[in-house]
Amino acid sequence: MVSIVVADDHKIVREGLIRLLEAREDFTVIGEASNGEEAVAMVLERRPDVVLMDINMPRLSGIDATRQLGKAGCTSKILVLSMHESRAYVEEVLRAGASGYVVKNSASKDVHNAIDAVRSGASYLSPAITQQVVDAIARPGDGGPSGISMLTDREREVLKLIAEGLSSKEIASELGVSLKTVDSHRSNLMEKLDIHKVSGLVRFAIRAGMVEA
Amino acid sequence: MVSIVVADDHKIVREGLIRLLEAREDFTVIGEASNGEEAVAMVLERRPDVVLMDINMPRLSGIDATRQLGKAGCTSKILVLSMHESRAYVEEVLRAGASGYVVKNSASKDVHNAIDAVRSGASYLSPAITQQVVDAIARPGDGGPSGISMLTDREREVLKLIAEGLSSKEIASELGVSLKTVDSHRSNLMEKLDIHKVSGLVRFAIRAGMVEA
DNA sequence: AGGAAAACTGGGGTTTCCCCCTGATTCGTC
DNA sequence: GACGAATCAGGGGGAAACCCCAGTTTTCCT
């Protein structure tokens, strides 16, 4: 019997997923969470075999939740569910400690297979993205890890706030640092991403799932 | 017996929805579509009682698909499924001719109720958004349709280029007009949309489907 | 443990661009 | 003629982008 916690911010999606999971008699859903914080707390308390975690969630993203669970020494296998197929995403998710990455455009059978895979200690990547991972490995000199992974935590934070529409001054006050510091981070991340316009940063942040469109 | 077509670009979401729908014995799903064009073709061919339509779909958005079905004289009731709760969305959806608006953060029971409602000729709006619609009606002078429809062709063109990352100077040369003209359009469209930051414009343009993220 | 590298922090100054303001002219439509 | 749309213009305030720099802390590697 495989115990599972489902985390997704949309109730109806959660319900649907649970139905699909419980079509397998050896799967049992022991909890559901509607945001990242709730997911972390629930997983640490109930210790499921597998966590089916959406990326886009309020309060704490699925990626950050995965990271926290890893630091907390949690042994539950984490299967990330995402609507994005971009390489940057997959990298981030796997580095955060997830065991699998399933795109939402998968059949329920694929999810079943993914759960079986991570249960046995393996990794699972949706067919749609394995090719991209292979591509990424095949050409390591194409400019590096494609973006977001080369940013520091602070730079990611600043990027997110830029994309949300805050001015540098507002970001400075939000983060409790000086305007000049924000300016530095801003310059540095623009240099790293080779994106030198706000519009480009916003699109990048949206593609990367850091902010909603 | 109520016949239903489900349109959503994520297969797993479709599957989940179908399960939830068929939990009601008087509901039967007679087709599923993964994009707007497919949805329009299928609905016109199979004439379901109800269409459960996601907004975010490739090729043709759920809103545009709804509009096309209306023009084609389709009598199927359209129930739009959306992850957004903003007023601008709801207005656009209803003006496109949909009979209902259900946020994804609803329980399956709500979807059942919504289908019953539109079947009997009524409208259905998720509790989360009814208040917003009431607000919008209560103050009709707050700017009108609150969206892209109030922009002129030229302003839309400028907005698109802004969102694509061009500077005003580049837009001017692209359109073959002076920098000052672009500046005017820029100011005017910002005023109309009440969005005064590039980041906000980019997100708006992406939501409106004018540019890719 | 010790040192190197990176990250985070802060500052000064310059240039460019954005944003808003007030105007104006032409054109087509109602 | 009134109106809206599109075109163009000047000027001013402010933010952003880019340049230089440097101190502190954290992280990483040997």
Side-chain angles (χ1 to χ4, degrees):
Chain A
M1 192 60 100
V2 182
S3 58
I4 303 170
V5 162
V6 175
D8 191 299
D9 54 334
H10 299 301
K11 182 172 176 63
I12 196 162
V13 175
R14 277 203 309 278
E15 281 199 49
L17 288 173
I18 292 171
R19 297 268 181 144
L20 293 174
L21 292 174
E22 299 203 325
R24 272 274 296 256
E25 293 177 356
D26 55 333
F27 289 177
T28 175
V29 176
I30 61 170
E32 49 181 303
S34 63
N35 64 62
E37 288 181 2
E38 203 180 319
V40 171
M42 182 172 294
V43 169
L44 291 178
E45 182 203 332
R46 308 193 186 179
R47 303 280 169 176
D49 295 319
V50 176
V51 185
L52 191 57
M53 175 106 70
D54 187 31
I55 285 188
N56 295 357
M57 288 191 293
R59 303 183 64 82
L60 196 68
S61 78
I63 293 176
D64 289 331
T66 300
R67 219 172 265 128
Q68 287 198 9
L69 287 171
K71 282 186 182 172
C74 173
T75 57
S76 301
K77 300 295 182 181
I78 297 170
L79 196 54
V80 166
L81 195 60
S82 168
M83 56 190 295
H84 301 97
E85 301 187 5
S86 68
R87 196 174 79 238
Y89 253 119
V90 184
E91 283 179 26
E92 184 91 7
V93 165
L94 296 182
R95 282 195 304 121
S99 297
Y101 188 105
V102 183
V103 298
K104 281 194 176 173
N105 191 27
S106 302
S108 58
K109 188 172 141 295
D110 294 329
V111 177
H112 294 166
N113 289 340
I115 290 175
D116 290 333
V118 300
R119 265 292 285 164
S120 65
S123 294
Y124 184 95
L125 299 175
S126 280
I129 57 159
T130 47
Q131 188 55 48
Q132 300 195 17
V133 174
V134 171
D135 288 350
I137 295 171
R139 37 163 185 168
D142 70 341
S146 84
I148 199 170
S149 55
M150 56 198 310
L151 297 184
T152 67
D153 290 342
R154 207 56 160 168
E155 285 163 353
R156 264 189 288 269
E157 210 165 355
V158 170
L159 171 57
K160 175 174 153 62
L161 295 173
I162 290 172
E164 282 175 354
L166 278 69
S167 69
S168 292
K169 193 189 294 180
E170 290 168 332
I171 295 172
S173 120
E174 175 83 17
L175 298 181
V177 298
S178 90
L179 173 63
K180 276 305 186 181
T181 301
V182 175
D183 206 12
S184 289
H185 291 315
R186 189 173 197 131
S187 291
N188 291 337
L189 72 89
M190 284 175 123
E191 180 64 28
K192 286 183 182 177
L193 298 176
D194 195 25
I195 299 173
H196 300 270
K197 290 172 179 299
V198 173
S199 50
L201 293 180
V202 174
R203 291 200 307 278
F204 178 87
I206 291 172
R207 282 200 307 272
M210 304 173 72
V211 294
E212 294 293 315
Chain B
M1 193 59 104
V2 182
S3 58
I4 303 170
V5 162
V6 175
D8 190 299
D9 54 335
H10 299 301
K11 182 173 177 62
I12 196 161
V13 175
R14 277 202 309 279
E15 280 199 50
L17 288 172
I18 291 171
R19 296 269 181 144
L20 294 174
L21 291 174
E22 299 203 325
R24 274 274 296 256
E25 293 178 356
D26 54 333
F27 288 176
T28 173
V29 176
I30 61 171
E32 49 181 305
S34 63
N35 65 61
E37 288 181 1
E38 204 180 318
V40 172
M42 183 172 293
V43 169
L44 291 177
E45 182 202 332
R46 307 193 186 178
R47 302 281 169 176
D49 295 318
V50 177
V51 185
L52 191 57
M53 176 106 70
D54 187 30
I55 285 187
N56 295 96
M57 287 191 293
R59 304 182 63 85
L60 196 66
S61 78
I63 293 176
D64 289 331
T66 300
R67 219 172 264 128
Q68 287 197 11
L69 287 171
K71 283 184 182 172
C74 174
T75 58
S76 300
K77 300 293 181 182
I78 298 171
L79 195 55
V80 167
L81 194 59
S82 169
M83 56 190 295
H84 304 283
E85 301 187 4
S86 68
R87 193 177 83 238
Y89 259 111
V90 183
E91 284 180 25
E92 185 127 5
V93 165
L94 296 182
R95 282 192 301 120
S99 296
Y101 188 106
V102 183
V103 299
K104 282 195 174 172
N105 191 26
S106 302
S108 58
K109 187 172 143 293
D110 294 328
V111 177
H112 294 167
N113 289 341
I115 290 175
D116 290 333
V118 299
R119 266 291 284 165
S120 65
S123 294
Y124 183 94
L125 300 175
S126 281
I129 57 158
T130 48
Q131 188 55 51
Q132 302 196 13
V133 173
V134 171
D135 288 349
I137 294 171
R139 37 167 183 164
D142 72 338
S146 85
I148 201 171
S149 54
M150 55 201 309
L151 298 183
T152 67
D153 290 344
R154 207 53 159 172
E155 285 164 352
R156 263 191 287 270
E157 210 164 354
V158 171
L159 171 57
K160 176 174 152 63
L161 295 173
I162 290 172
E164 282 176 352
L166 279 68
S167 70
S168 292
K169 193 189 292 181
E170 290 167 333
I171 295 172
S173 113
E174 175 83 16
L175 297 181
V177 298
S178 92
L179 171 64
K180 278 306 186 179
T181 300
V182 175
D183 208 8
S184 288
H185 292 315
R186 187 174 199 132
S187 292
N188 291 337
L189 72 88
M190 285 176 124
E191 180 63 28
K192 287 183 181 177
L193 298 176
D194 194 26
I195 299 174
H196 301 270
K197 290 175 178 296
V198 172
S199 51
L201 292 180
V202 174
R203 292 200 305 276
F204 178 87
I206 291 172
R207 283 200 307 271
M210 304 173 70
V211 295
E212 294 295 314

